[in-house]
Amino acid sequence: MSKQFKNPVLNWIEYRLPIFSFIDDSVGSGYPTPKNLNYWWNFGSLAGFVLVIMIASGIVLAMHYTAHVDYAFNSIERIMRDVNYGWLIRYIHMNGGSMFFIVVYIHLLRGMYYGSYKAPRELLWIIGVFILLAMMATAFMGYVLPWGQMSFWGATVITNLFSAIPIVGDSIVTLLWGGFSVDNPTLNRFFSLHYLMPFVIVGLVVVHLWALHEHKSNNPLGVDIKGEQDLIPFHPYFTSKDLYGMAVFMMFFMFFVFFAPNFFGEPDNYIPANPLATPPHIVPEWYFLPYYAILRAFTKDFFLYWPVAWLITAKLAGVIAMFSSILLLLLLPWLDGSKVRSSKFRPYYAMAFWVFVIDCLVLGYVGGKPAEGTFIVIGQIATAYYFAHLVIIIPLVSRLERPKPIPESISAAVTAAHAKQAGE
Amino acid sequence: MSDTASTDTETGVDEKSRRDFLYVSTAAVGAVGSAIAVWPFIDQMNPAADTLALSSTEVNLDAIEVGQSITVVWRGKPVFIRHRTPEEIAAAKKDDTADLIDPETDASRTQKPEWLIMVGVCTHLGCIPLGQKTSEPRGDFGGWFCPCHGSHYDTSGRIRKGPAPKNLHIPTYTFLNDTSVKIG
């Protein structure tokens, strides 16, 4: 479906490479979008926007960074003090990581609340989970690069997770390190992979959008698109709405960059890495805290560990639980048996959803506290609830709950709402 | 085509299995070849020759008084060398029969009872346990205490309480004479 332009140059290009119609059909007037999307639908394009910011700032930082244990820390300090606007670009990249996770977690919870993972969007959701995993790997390796105390000990603790694998665990850890501890070979490969991964994410995002465009966006009512009357073109309606969202988001982002640049960071990472002294309290970045809490919940006296105690160590159980906490999300389209997508018509599911959100926040809080006393017990209860929500509560509630009547179509619901307003 | 149809059915089975054999063997050779080609790209991540070359350290024990500990670096990791007091040795031997998480006798963990030599890396997630300096906490069993996730080690470096699954690792070492030891 090639477009016709008045400009002969554009026509010449379009005839040979239909790039203008491709853009128009992807994010222009040729892409029809449900007309009732609310502001929670801004977070997908925001995530893409942050990805671009991260790649741009990261490429620039790599021009000044030295991936060597003797120079890495000082090269970062040089960026902060000597490189023109280095402080700005580094603070954008540092806080951009946190922003990326804020935006993506909201995007993910939006999908959970409105049932965007349900047929026919299962693969769209699964690709999204893979994007989250790729982001985590990228963020983890990026945090190691400044070679501060938290960089070094975070890398040590996380790579040591693989030593929990029976028999081959220690060989795998040696392979990851390229030596017998986290050292120069480790730093070099982390830099290489940290530069690679964002482009893997870009590739996954392309596939994510491809799947999205096949069946179009879900919408707050969760009902299927019935016809033209349910749709409006992406441009100018959602381009303008997304741009407005970006402006608001940039104010939030830039507040941290300019006024609280180290708010999300750990002061210990401004101490150069010392392989012979562990900081008294190792914590990962905030976006990993819930998973860290799940990892630490598995001790010998945790009841979820008892059924497998004869087979594996508590350490391995914790590692498996931590990875499963994300991998279980891949099964969400099938764990949820309800035919109705949106939580608007599923009051009990909606309640369970909000308890789950609170549970994740509790896990995040506990993950940042030392593993002692009541924090262990709270972490264990919250961990048990996390898994109970996914494998017990969702399957049962979705199959037992009788949903409220759903509107016939998007446009019928909108017309009804207008009629009601006019009546009042 | 119809003329040869009858001969086709007679030889068809053979032809088909010959084709299958060629397909399968080509695919098999291709798969093995790919696996061989991939191996250098994986193995390059393993420790390089110069990293492996730094794999032994010699330590002079002369200056370590009874009750003192020193930390030396071996393969980029700290190694704890402790000149144990008679009380610590007695406590370690007494606990040989205690309820241990990773059962090992004190005798099997030392070559000379007064010298305890072990890798100072917590077997949970790789932090460095405290207890080398007299000012540091030693945990509930008078040995070492890992501050990261609260593992307690006894005077033989055995795990007694907390999430770590194993005792502190004993490196290979040989006493060159009474006052010097070679680790690795």
Side-chain angles (χ1 to χ4, degrees):
Chain A
M1 208 176 63
S2 80
K3 286 170 79 84
Q4 287 296 316
F5 298 95
K6 281 186 187 147
N7 187 329
V9 178
L10 295 186
N11 270 336
W12 188 90
I13 296 171
E14 175 72 14
Y15 182 67
R16 284 152 183 86
L17 176 73
I19 187 165
F20 301 114
S21 50
F22 178 75
I23 293 171
D24 193 53
D25 292 344
S26 304
V27 290
S29 52
Y31 180 56
T33 315
K35 62 183 176 185
N36 60 337
L37 298 188
N38 59 28
Y39 276 111
W40 298 112
W41 263 261
N42 277 49
F43 288 86
S45 69
L46 273 183
F49 179 57
V50 181
L51 178 60
V52 171
I53 292 177
M54 292 305 279
I55 290 177
S57 55
I59 287 173
V60 176
L61 287 173
M63 295 179 186
H64 304 282
Y65 171 75
T66 311
H68 188 284
V69 290
D70 295 338
Y71 306 109
F73 189 88
N74 291 337
S75 75
I76 298 285
E77 287 307 306
R78 188 179 156 268
I79 289 170
M80 292 303 292
R81 291 149 202 263
D82 295 340
V83 174
N84 301 331
Y85 293 106
W87 58 272
L88 176 65
I89 296 162
R90 175 167 181 256
Y91 278 156
I92 287 173
H93 199 74
M94 243 173 83
N95 288 283
S98 288
M99 294 301 133
F100 206 175
F101 278 95
I102 290 174
V103 167
V104 163
Y105 282 149
I106 293 173
H107 184 62
L108 188 150
L109 290 172
R110 193 286 321 272
M112 287 177 99
Y113 185 83
Y114 292 110
S116 301
Y117 48 83
K118 285 167 175 285
R121 298 186 183 83
E122 300 97 323
L123 278 180
L124 176 61
W125 169 262
I126 287 170
I127 296 158
V129 175
F130 285 129
I131 293 175
L132 178 65
L133 289 170
M135 277 174 62
M136 288 175 164
T138 313
F140 162 65
M141 289 187 287
Y143 193 60
V144 176
L145 303 184
W147 209 243
Q149 273 291 66
M150 278 301 165
S151 299
F152 182 89
W153 290 101
T156 299
V157 167
I158 301 302
T159 49
N160 263 306
L161 294 180
F162 293 91
S163 72
I165 301 167
I167 305 162
V168 292
D170 286 328
S171 308
I172 289 175
V173 174
T174 305
L175 184 85
L176 292 174
W177 287 340
F180 305 102
S181 57
V182 173
D183 209 333
N184 201 45
T186 326
L187 179 61
N188 269 296
R189 64 192 54 183
F190 277 20
F191 182 47
S192 168
L193 295 172
H194 182 70
Y195 208 126
L196 165 74
M197 289 303 288
F199 299 99
V200 173
I201 295 176
V202 169
L204 287 167
V205 167
V206 168
V207 184
H208 194 64
L209 291 179
W210 187 4
L212 172 72
H213 283 207
E214 188 61 29
H215 290 284
K216 313 280 184 285
S217 294
N218 182 30
N219 64 81
L221 295 172
V223 294
D224 285 329
I225 296 162
K226 299 277 159 43
E228 288 298 315
Q229 70 280 11
D230 292 342
L231 301 162
I232 47 173
F234 191 81
H235 179 74
Y237 295 101
F238 288 105
T239 42
S240 55
K241 192 173 180 176
D242 280 351
L243 277 172
Y244 172 70
M246 270 175 209
V248 173
F249 167 72
M250 280 306 272
M251 284 194 257
F252 178 74
F253 184 0
M254 289 302 130
F255 169 81
F256 287 103
V257 169
F258 288 105
F259 299 108
N262 289 302
F263 176 79
F264 295 106
E266 278 294 319
D268 269 17
N269 222 29
Y270 284 105
I271 303 168
N274 179 0
L276 297 184
T278 311
H281 183 205
I282 297 182
V283 277
E285 289 281 82
W286 69 265
Y287 38 79
F288 290 137
L289 290 175
Y291 316 105
Y292 197 54
I294 291 173
L295 170 75
R296 296 196 305 186
F298 281 78
T299 57
K300 267 167 226 77
D301 46 12
F302 183 30
F303 70 92
L304 278 187
Y305 170 61
W306 295 341
V308 290
W310 60 278
L311 187 63
I312 55 176
T313 59
K315 175 177 160 184
L316 180 58
V319 173
I320 292 171
M322 186 181 71
F323 284 109
S324 330
S325 68
I326 297 167
L327 295 177
L328 265 179
L329 295 178
L330 294 171
L331 301 178
L332 193 56
W334 296 278
L335 292 169
D336 183 343
S338 174
K339 293 271 184 291
V340 175
R341 292 197 191 97
S342 175
S343 292
K344 279 192 174 178
F345 309 107
R346 304 169 63 189
Y348 291 103
Y349 176 85
M351 258 188 273
F353 169 84
W354 287 113
V355 177
F356 179 69
V357 172
I358 292 165
D359 186 59
C360 291
L361 294 174
V362 169
L363 280 171
Y365 174 74
V366 170
K369 294 285 165 195
E372 55 197 31
T374 48
F375 291 124
I376 297 178
V377 181
I378 296 171
Q380 290 178 336
I381 294 168
T383 299
Y385 187 82
Y386 183 97
F387 288 105
H389 175 80
L390 289 175
V391 301
I392 299 171
I393 296 172
I394 285 189
L396 285 183
V397 167
S398 64
R399 284 168 178 84
L400 297 176
E401 181 175 16
R402 178 193 290 268
K404 293 191 208 163
I406 56 169
E408 192 186 316
S409 72
I410 295 169
S411 102
V414 172
T415 320
H418 274 284
K420 201 178 158 201
Q421 256 178 359
E424 282 164 8
Chain B
M1 284 296 279
S2 54
D3 304 347
T4 57
S6 58
T7 53
D8 262 2
T9 39
E10 277 165 29
T11 59
V13 177
D14 275 344
E15 274 299 310
K16 197 163 183 292
S17 59
R18 271 176 63 148
R19 256 324 133 200
D20 284 349
F21 176 75
L22 284 172
Y23 275 137
V24 171
S25 48
T26 309
V29 170
V32 171
S34 306
I36 291 169
V38 163
W39 176 244
F41 288 83
I42 295 171
D43 193 40
Q44 54 82 22
M45 286 177 74
N46 271 319
D50 63 331
T51 309
L52 291 169
L54 299 169
S55 58
S56 72
T57 304
E58 276 183 39
V59 185
N60 187 357
L61 303 175
D62 239 355
I64 311 171
E65 302 288 333
V66 173
Q68 251 189 351
S69 299
I70 64 158
T71 306
V72 297
V73 180
W74 172 66
R75 289 176 159 185
K77 291 184 226 193
V79 169
F80 292 170
I81 301 178
R82 180 157 183 84
H83 199 164
R84 296 193 293 182
T85 61
E87 298 80 57
E88 286 171 348
I89 299 168
K93 289 203 187 300
K94 189 168 82 52
D95 283 353
D96 280 352
T97 51
D99 184 20
L100 298 172
I101 294 166
D102 178 17
E104 265 185 311
T105 61
D106 186 57
S108 69
R109 292 179 54 80
T110 49
Q111 290 180 17
K112 297 180 178 180
E114 63 271 31
W115 293 107
L116 178 64
I117 300 176
M118 55 193 186
V119 177
V121 172
C122 182
T123 56
H124 182 227
L125 293 171
C127 296
I128 314 253
L130 300 173
Q132 285 292 87
K133 293 184 192 130
T134 43
S135 58
E136 290 174 348
R138 290 251 164 97
D140 295 355
F141 297 87
W144 288 263
F145 170 71
C146 183
C148 290
H149 306 101
S151 292
H152 299 252
Y153 295 92
D154 67 10
T155 55
S156 188
R158 291 175 296 210
I159 177 66
R160 301 299 291 273
K161 189 179 153 190
K166 297 270 176 200
N167 301 333
L168 289 177
H169 182 65
I170 305 290
T172 48
Y173 61 88
T174 38
F175 281 96
L176 301 172
N177 51 52
D178 278 349
T179 59
S180 74
V181 66
K182 182 180 157 204
I183 301 164

